[in-house]
Amino acid sequence: GLNSAPRAWHETLRAALLEAGWRQSALDPCLYLLREKGETKGALIVYVDDLALGGEGKKFEESVRMLKEKFDFRKWRTGSGTFVGSTVEQGADFSIRLHQKGFTSGLAPIKVSPKARDEVPATKEQIHEARTLMGGLQWLACQTRPDLGAQVSLSQQAFPNPTVRDRRLMNQALRRARQFDGFGLHLLPLDVDRVGF
């Protein structure tokens, strides 16, 4: 609960990863690579206390063993699991599918009277509802649903004073998100020998 806790956790994790042979990327401090004789044996990404990693070989297996000895991982999934609120599923061909099926069920539409005129400004409560909805849709669009990006971005431009028309467009974005619930990203496998780090 201390303000210094996130930084302290990051430093503890970073030290353990370096000790286990991982090297932090100069381009992205959330990315760690495990290399041996010029070959990449593993890749690991971290977001606060969520980790996702993959790799193969003795060096990779040994580094995982070291991490499991040092930290009590509550959940350890292979092939599929969740990362930063997204479901991650690895196919037999090593492709990866990311989605947030069911996420929109937790988002509430904004209450708008069907008889309300388009230009009527929102009340303080309606602005709060709109911000809550758009925050959820923004998260979805950024994580797994880039198809919603334009609609969400345009709707957010209505703040700080959305009108009835704006709030109807926000509800329309939610309907679209629900219409294609579970739609996400499909990442095709790459030949590691052709990837440059």
Side-chain angles (χ1 to χ4, degrees), residues 17 22 32 42-45 51-55 60 63-64 67 73 76-77 83 90:
L17 289 168
W22 297 86
Y32 290 81
L44 180 146
I45 53 175
L51 302 170
L53 70 152
F60 175 76
S63 72
V64 168
L67 292 173
F73 293 99
W76 188 273
R77 304 284 185 262
F83 181 72
Q90 185 174 38

Side-chain angles (χ1 to χ4, degrees), residues 103-104 107 110 130-159 162 166-178:
F103 177 81
T104 58
L107 300 177
I110 307 159
R131 286 191 188 281
T132 301
L133 173 59
M134 295 317 297
L137 289 176
Q138 171 74 33
W139 175 254
L140 185 64
C142 288
Q143 296 302 304
T144 60
R145 293 289 303 275
D147 61 300
L148 299 172
Q151 198 170 9
V152 169
S153 178
L154 290 170
S155 290
Q156 287 176 326
Q157 292 177 31
F159 292 107
D166 297 324
R167 288 177 285 133
R168 285 182 176 139
L169 290 173
M170 292 174 189
N171 282 341
Q172 185 182 56
L174 176 59
R175 282 192 300 276
R176 181 164 182 227
R178 287 179 173 171

Side-chain angles (χ1 to χ4, degrees), residues 39-53:
E39 290 185 21
T40 301
K41 297 297 180 182
L44 180 146
I45 53 175
V46 59
Y47 183 85
V48 187
D49 63 351
D50 257 0
L51 302 170
L53 70 152

Side-chain angles (χ1 to χ4, degrees), residues 34-155:
L34 186 66
R35 301 190 43 93
E36 183 177 46
K37 297 178 184 173
E39 290 185 21
T40 301
K41 297 297 180 182
L44 180 146
I45 53 175
V46 59
Y47 183 85
V48 187
D49 63 351
D50 257 0
L51 302 170
L53 70 152
E56 63 181 2
K58 287 182 181 179
K59 185 169 184 173
F60 175 76
E61 296 299 329
E62 177 61 17
S63 72
V64 168
R65 185 193 63 72
M66 290 173 71
L67 292 173
K68 285 183 173 180
E69 276 183 7
K70 188 140 188 111
F71 301 107
D72 180 24
F73 293 99
R74 288 179 301 156
K75 298 177 188 172
W76 188 273
R77 304 284 185 262
T78 303
S80 68
T82 58
F83 181 72
V84 193
S86 298
T87 299
V88 181
E89 299 169 335
Q90 185 174 38
D93 65 349
F94 299 107
S95 65
I96 296 174
R97 185 165 140 42
L98 300 165
H99 66 83
Q100 289 171 280
K101 186 169 180 63
F103 177 81
T104 58
S105 65
L107 300 177
I110 307 159
K111 296 177 193 92
V112 181
S113 169
K115 295 180 181 179
R117 293 189 333 270
D118 280 353
E119 67 278 0
V120 174
T123 65
K124 191 174 180 179
E125 182 182 318
Q126 290 166 334
I127 292 172
H128 176 73
E129 288 176 354
R131 286 191 188 281
T132 301
L133 173 59
M134 295 317 297
L137 289 176
Q138 171 74 33
W139 175 254
L140 185 64
C142 288
Q143 296 302 304
T144 60
R145 293 289 303 275
D147 61 300
L148 299 172
Q151 198 170 9
V152 169
S153 178
L154 290 170
S155 290

